[in-house]
Amino acid sequence: MKVLFTYTPRILVLASLFLSGCTAKNPEWLRSPSGAYCASGLSGSCLKALAENAYADATAKQVAAQAASAAKLSGTATKVAQVTSASPGAGSEAVKGGEGAVPSGAGGEGSEPVSDKPAVEKVVEASAVEPVKDADGSKFATAAAKLDDSIPKLAFGIAAIGATAASADGYTPSDKAIQSKEAGAILNVGSGPVSHAQVAQAGKISDKELRADALSGLISLHARSMSEDQINAVLNELYSLDKAKYANALIIKLPGLLKSGDLERASALRGVLLASKSETDRPFSMLAFVASCYTMAGMKQDAGAIVQDFLEDGGELSIDDQKLITLAISVSNGSYPMMQEFYDFKSDEARLSAYLTIAVIARQLDNLKVAHRAVADAVKFIQKAAVKVDREKALSQILAVSPGII
């Protein structure tokens, strides 16, 4: 058996997997809980139900957070008013020295000097309490702001799968949330081809970030039903808007070129992708994406050669990169990765990204069975209590890749 890499024991294992594969059995206790959404199988109805419930919950939390923040501010204002009325100079004749007032240190037999000590004590007590109140209020405000940022992303994904974004009582959607819902609806094209009108509609979205999301979504989800001219027009627009989203959209073309046997164009595209600037917050390198595409397209030896050339040039593959490629090898060998194979990622966010990466590549290779399974596992994964992810953000990511799979 040819050894492709000789750099670390981990790389040696990875190299052998390119040519062999591995199998393992899941113990019974690893089955998902029956009470979770889509526990018995992923469907459009159960995913919509989860999304709609998550949106209602997120908007209810924001209403509560805003109400709590307002209550804190109201309580602070009341305290200030009470302190002001009790402070020196607030009208006390004894302190101001008005008619009948006794100066401090003066008075008849048995008299006590007039002092402002009680008022000072009240001011000190209030000042000692107020910073805590302000801190609590800021926490509620921060929570509300975080929810307000995640709600538009949820609205985008919900509209993309054709679900209904019903909000909680008392919630007023922001302009961004409304625009996100409209932008997401553009991606809900069903099984039909993408029309020029839909591409034009996405290109007219005023918010640049939303426009980039809609355009990249069209290619990521519906490239197979778009003409070459449509794809190139969208890519050109994306390049001017967001280089990172442009690179992410560009990679979607690679599996199709490999599947059709257009290896020359695939090689040229691979060079562009590997030369692109990597996103700092992305869990996997572009090399891992490229190698996974080649591997899942049945070209494991080519994938190994690409990685070996990269390593010989001084590059490095992270542990998570290697693990993603290992998952791709399992798919290439004709079996979906075992649950345990997803355990070794350094974070839950990386594990979620692995599910979605496998789903996206499989979808472009027309392997809908694997794509469906990966999305289903992602949906179950984010519902586990022990999983440490931003659940609204995680669900938004799942929804963004689901059209055409569920």
Side-chain angles (χ1 to χ4, degrees):
M1 178 172 61
K2 182 180 178 181
V3 176
L4 299 179
F5 312 122
T6 60
Y7 293 86
T8 66
R10 177 90 181 189
I11 296 295
L12 285 172
V13 173
L14 181 62
S16 66
L17 284 173
F18 270 116
L19 299 178
S20 60
C22 62
T23 59
K25 291 184 178 181
N26 275 333
E28 285 293 320
W29 57 268
L30 286 177
R31 290 184 176 181
S32 299
S34 59
Y37 282 92
C38 304
S40 60
L42 179 67
S43 66
S45 59
C46 75
L47 185 58
K48 287 179 181 179
L50 172 60
E52 290 166 357
N53 180 73
Y55 187 82
D57 185 57
T59 54
K61 286 179 180 177
Q62 180 161 9
V63 171
Q66 289 174 334
S69 181
K72 290 292 181 181
L73 292 174
S74 176
T76 298
T78 302
K79 272 287 187 183
V80 170
Q82 291 173 348
V83 170
T84 301
S85 65
S87 299
S92 169
E93 289 296 319
V95 175
K96 291 171 67 177
E99 183 179 356
V102 181
S104 177
E109 182 178 350
S111 65
E112 293 290 332
V114 177
S115 170
D116 60 354
K117 182 178 179 181
V120 172
E121 287 178 346
K122 289 182 180 178
V123 174
V124 172
E125 289 171 1
S127 64
V129 173
E130 290 312 320
V132 179
K133 293 294 184 180
D134 289 342
D136 287 346
S138 67
K139 289 179 181 178
F140 282 110
T142 301
K146 181 180 179 181
L147 285 166
D148 194 42
D149 183 58
S150 65
I151 288 173
K153 290 180 171 54
L154 269 178
F156 183 93
I158 287 171
I161 64 170
T164 302
S167 57
D169 292 340
Y171 172 72
T172 302
S174 63
D175 291 340
K176 186 66 173 286
I178 295 172
Q179 293 170 6
S180 296
K181 182 179 179 181
E182 295 171 350
I186 297 174
L187 305 184
N188 186 28
V189 301
S191 58
V194 176
S195 67
H196 291 289
Q198 288 167 320
V199 175
Q201 186 180 1
K204 292 178 181 178
I205 297 173
S206 58
D207 185 283
K208 288 186 176 181
E209 182 182 359
L210 275 177
R211 194 190 319 160
D213 287 340
L215 290 170
S216 62
L218 281 175
I219 288 185
S220 300
L221 299 171
H222 306 297
R224 293 177 302 168
S225 62
M226 296 173 67
S227 68
E228 193 70 20
D229 288 342
Q230 286 177 322
I231 292 175
N232 291 334
V234 169
L235 288 174
N236 289 337
E237 177 73 9
L238 268 178
Y239 186 81
S240 64
L241 286 172
D242 189 316
K243 300 296 189 297
K245 285 188 172 67
Y246 166 78
N248 287 340
L250 199 61
I251 196 175
I252 299 302
K253 296 183 66 175
L254 184 59
L257 293 174
L258 295 174
K259 186 174 185 296
S260 65
D262 194 344
L263 301 185
E264 184 175 350
R265 291 179 65 194
S267 178
L269 177 56
R270 182 183 75 221
V272 172
L273 292 171
L274 294 179
S276 64
K277 184 178 179 180
S278 298
E279 293 181 74
T280 56
D281 62 343
R282 186 161 54 191
F284 308 118
S285 67
M286 186 59 78
L287 175 65
F289 279 93
V290 169
S292 296
C293 286
Y294 272 82
T295 300
M296 290 176 61
M299 304 174 68
K300 290 183 289 185
Q301 290 186 337
D302 294 87
I306 292 168
V307 174
Q308 183 173 354
D309 289 344
F310 178 80
L311 295 176
E312 289 177 349
D313 289 339
E316 294 182 356
L317 272 179
S318 71
I319 298 299
D320 279 354
D321 284 341
Q322 296 172 42
K323 192 62 183 176
L324 177 68
I325 297 172
T326 302
L327 298 178
I329 292 170
S330 294
V331 175
S332 181
N333 289 336
S335 61
Y336 184 81
M338 293 294 179
M339 187 181 296
Q340 305 95 299
E341 295 183 64
F342 289 92
Y343 286 173
D344 293 337
F345 289 101
K346 67 179 182 180
S347 67
D348 288 337
E349 287 85 355
R351 181 175 171 182
L352 173 63
S353 293
Y355 285 124
L356 300 184
T357 300
I358 295 297
V360 168
I361 297 174
R363 186 179 189 277
Q364 297 304 318
L365 292 171
D366 290 329
N367 191 344
L368 294 182
K369 182 178 179 180
V370 168
H372 189 277
R373 174 73 179 275
V375 171
D377 283 352
V379 169
K380 294 175 185 176
F381 175 63
I382 67 168
Q383 295 180 79
K384 295 180 182 294
V387 172
K388 297 178 180 178
V389 295
D390 181 328
R391 298 185 192 280
E392 286 82 12
K393 179 181 178 181
L395 180 56
S396 299
Q397 293 173 326
I398 293 173
L399 296 177
V401 305
S402 295
I405 293 178
I406 58 172

